[in-house]
Amino acid sequence: MPNFSFTYYMDAKANNGNRDNAQSQREAFEVWFKALGDVVITPNTPFGMAKTVSANGSADATRADRLTGFCIVKADNLDTAVAMVKDCPFLEIGTIDVAEVYSM
């Protein structure tokens, strides 16, 4: 069975500093994630703030959609993996890219 990544992107202004809203979203996400069960290969891995590095140096990342984390799951195919995220509460504040992970 192939592996797929769920890569989470969030608008930096999604919660507008509302801690209660952020906490309830985090709790709903955790419930959803635990329900995935044994298909999870790599648990949810959140990212902190980032720097963008180029040949000219580095600077604070300023993209509108910030990469906030990822996980790896197993699924029969891409369509099945996409179906797994359709009810993810994270979609209220961001987007999720789903892609097959290849071994090299």
Side-chain angles (χ1 to χ4, degrees), residues 1-8 32-33 36 38-45 69-85 96-103:
M1 188 175 301
N3 293 340
F4 294 86
S5 67
F6 296 167
T7 310
Y8 306 100
W32 170 83
F33 190 77
L36 291 176
D38 64 354
V39 300
V40 175
I41 304 297
T42 301
N44 189 42
T45 306
F70 78 98
C71 74
I72 306 290
V73 300
K74 57 185 171 184
D76 290 330
N77 54 49
L78 181 59
D79 290 335
T80 301
V82 167
M84 293 166 76
V85 301
I96 303 170
D97 285 355
V98 180
E100 187 168 353
V101 177
Y102 297 114
S103 297

Side-chain angles (χ1 to χ4, degrees), residues 3-91:
N3 293 340
F4 294 86
S5 67
F6 296 167
T7 310
Y8 306 100
Y9 294 86
M10 184 174 73
D11 182 332
K13 299 174 187 171
N15 283 321
N16 293 323
N18 184 335
R19 287 187 171 275
D20 291 336
N21 191 37
Q23 180 63 28
S24 67
Q25 288 169 338
R26 186 171 21 261
E27 289 169 359
F29 178 81
E30 289 174 8
V31 168
W32 170 83
F33 190 77
K34 285 180 184 175
L36 291 176
D38 64 354
V39 300
V40 175
I41 304 297
T42 301
N44 189 42
T45 306
F47 296 140
M49 295 306 295
K51 295 273 188 181
T52 299
V53 180
S54 69
N56 298 325
S58 66
D60 290 339
T62 58
R63 293 180 181 98
D65 275 356
R66 186 173 74 80
L67 177 60
T68 60
F70 78 98
C71 74
I72 306 290
V73 300
K74 57 185 171 184
D76 290 330
N77 54 49
L78 181 59
D79 290 335
T80 301
V82 167
M84 293 166 76
V85 301
K86 288 198 179 222
D87 63 346
C88 178
F90 185 86
L91 294 173

